[in-house]
Amino acid sequence: MRADAERRLKVKLDTPHLVAISAAGPAGFRLYNQSPDAYRGYACLASSPTARQASTLNKDLRMLMINGTIDQRYPVEPLRRRAQRIQRRVPGLTFKTIEADHFILLTRREQTFETIRRFVTPTPTV
C-alpha cells in the first residue's frame, strides 16, 4: 500500500508505525514480527499477542500495548503478566493501562491518543 501511495502521489513517505485495535491485535503482532523493517514500531490497542506469538517475538521490536483496566474482553491482569514475560526478552515493549473498558479509543480518546503520540514521537537526542 505504501509503495502504491508513493507512486501515485510521487512522494517518498516516511516509514509508518503499525496500529491495530482489538481483534486485529494478533495480526498486527504477526505482521510486525515478520517484517520489522517495514514499520517504525507497533501500537496495539485493547488486545494482545497470542500466547504462542508472545514466545516468538523478535527481541529488537518496538511495541506499545494499551489496555483498559476494566476491559471484559481482554482482562488487564493476564495481559499485564503476559507483557512482563515478553519484556524480559523484548525490552522495546511498553505496556500502558488506561482506566477504561474495551473501547478506550472512544471512551478515553484524548488519553489514548496522547499515549500513542508519546510512543510515535522520537525522543530528542542531546
Side-chain angles (χ1 to χ4, degrees):
M1 182 169 57
R2 183 172 147 208
D4 183 59
E6 287 177 339
R7 181 183 56 75
R8 288 175 189 239
L9 300 172
K10 297 178 179 32
V11 297
K12 176 74 174 143
L13 298 174
D14 290 336
T15 303
H17 281 84
L18 179 63
V19 178
I21 303 171
S22 190
F29 282 101
R30 180 180 49 78
L31 289 170
Y32 185 41
N33 198 47
Q34 288 174 345
S35 301
D37 294 335
Y39 307 98
R40 292 176 51 203
Y42 172 50
C44 177
L45 289 78
S47 190
S48 166
T50 66
R52 183 169 184 241
Q53 286 176 321
S55 66
T56 62
L57 292 169
N58 296 321
K59 65 180 178 68
D60 297 324
L61 299 177
R62 186 171 172 273
M63 300 174 290
L64 170 66
M65 285 175 59
I66 306 173
N67 291 86
T69 58
I70 55 173
D71 187 337
Q72 298 298 312
R73 295 174 190 204
Y74 288 91
V76 73
E77 286 311 314
L79 297 181
R80 186 185 316 277
R81 288 190 299 273
R82 180 170 291 167
Q84 289 170 343
R85 285 191 303 272
I86 295 168
Q87 286 171 322
R88 290 184 202 124
R89 286 186 317 90
V90 185
L93 171 67
T94 301
F95 181 75
K96 297 286 186 181
T97 59
I98 293 176
E99 189 174 333
D101 60 12
H102 185 71
F103 303 98
I104 58 176
L105 196 55
L106 298 173
T107 59
R108 296 288 190 260
R109 182 178 174 272
E110 290 302 320
Q111 189 176 358
T112 302
F113 277 119
E114 182 56 31
T115 304
I116 295 169
R117 266 188 224 100
R118 284 194 303 267
F119 175 71
V120 301
T121 304
T123 305
T125 54
V126 180

